[in-house]
Amino acid sequence: MSNYPNQYSQPQTLDYGASGVVARFMNNVYAWMAAGLALTAVVAWWVSTQSQYFSTIFSRGTFFVLILVEIGLVMAISYAVNKISAGVATALFLLYAAINGLTLSVIFLVYSLPAIGVAFVVTAGMFGGMSLIGYVTKMDLSRFRSILMMGLIGLVIASVVNLFWANGPLYWLVTYAGVALFMALTAYDTQVLVQMAYATEGDPKLANRLAITGALRLYLDFINLFLFMLRILGNRRN
């Protein structure tokens, strides 16, 4: 948020010309988000069929390095948006999506393909509905930013604690809280992106760069929402 002027954090009334700018920008965002999700899915599925790679990918050292690389890529795309070209930002985003496919490939071994498919369809519907709300609502969702950020921090802390505690009720509390949080973040991030679109009018290079950062935000919302829904809807393999 700090990378963008304050004027983009408040809802504005769109005239006809501005509506076209916003529509083109958001179409670009959704297209790149979809491309990232597709790449992640293909890589995850392919790796799940290559058992010889699993011991390497999920060894403690390699997996830890992959997670650090993912964090580094997210930070690079998010905070260096004004210093890198759209081409570099796109390459980094696709690299992140591919690496995320490596780390998520295990879900194809833990859950059945039909369960993954159902969770994906349900997630897509929920994500689409919340993103539509964020796109059209006249309510200023920025007022909830601090609550959402505190909720995200709390969710991360609770998830880490439960890795060691392995408490059943806490597991499900985190799961349902995660669904609610990432639904809210989807609406919030969509509204932020709509406001960011104003800055791209007459500047296609800026539009391309910001579209990639926007795609990353919505990609992360979708992936996290999907993983929490998979916990709820997916039946683990025996």
Side-chain angles (χ1 to χ4, degrees), residues 123-201:
T123 299
M126 296 169 67
F127 176 90
M130 295 308 297
S131 191
L132 179 61
I133 289 173
Y135 192 94
V136 303
T137 185
K138 297 183 184 301
M139 180 186 296
D140 180 10
L141 300 181
S142 65
R143 71 182 69 177
F144 302 111
R145 181 179 185 275
S146 59
I147 296 174
L148 293 173
M149 293 304 103
M150 286 188 294
L152 185 58
I153 293 172
L155 189 71
V156 171
I157 293 174
S159 297
V160 172
V161 168
N162 209 41
L163 285 176
F164 300 96
W165 191 13
N167 179 272
L170 180 58
Y171 174 88
W172 288 112
L173 176 62
V174 168
T175 297
Y176 284 101
V179 169
L181 177 63
F182 283 101
M183 288 178 65
L185 279 170
T186 296
Y188 169 80
D189 284 337
T190 300
Q191 187 179 81
V192 169
L193 293 175
V194 168
Q195 303 310 317
M196 283 167 52
Y198 288 96
T200 68
E201 187 171 9

Side-chain angles (χ1 to χ4, degrees), residues 7 19 80 105 109 152 164 174:
Q7 71 186 83
S19 295
S105 59
L109 300 182
L152 185 58
F164 300 96
V174 168

Side-chain angles (χ1 to χ4, degrees), residues 61-136:
T62 302
F63 190 77
F64 182 70
V65 169
L66 290 175
I67 295 299
L68 288 180
V69 170
E70 287 187 312
I71 294 173
L73 287 171
V74 169
M75 294 179 64
I77 297 170
S78 301
Y79 296 106
V81 62
N82 293 318
K83 299 179 181 179
I84 58 179
S85 67
V88 172
T90 302
L92 293 177
F93 172 62
L94 294 178
L95 176 60
Y96 172 81
I99 295 176
N100 209 29
L102 295 178
T103 59
L104 293 180
S105 59
V106 68
I107 67 173
F108 284 94
L109 300 182
V110 176
Y111 299 96
S112 67
L113 194 58
I116 294 173
V118 169
F120 180 86
V121 171
V122 172
T123 299
M126 296 169 67
F127 176 90
M130 295 308 297
S131 191
L132 179 61
I133 289 173
Y135 192 94
V136 303

Side-chain angles (χ1 to χ4, degrees), residues 23 25-36 127-128 131-132 135 186 190 193-194 211 214-215 218:
F25 178 79
M26 292 304 295
N27 286 340
N28 202 11
V29 168
Y30 288 127
W32 279 116
M33 184 201 77
F127 176 90
S131 191
L132 179 61
Y135 192 94
T186 296
T190 300
L193 293 175
V194 168
L218 294 186

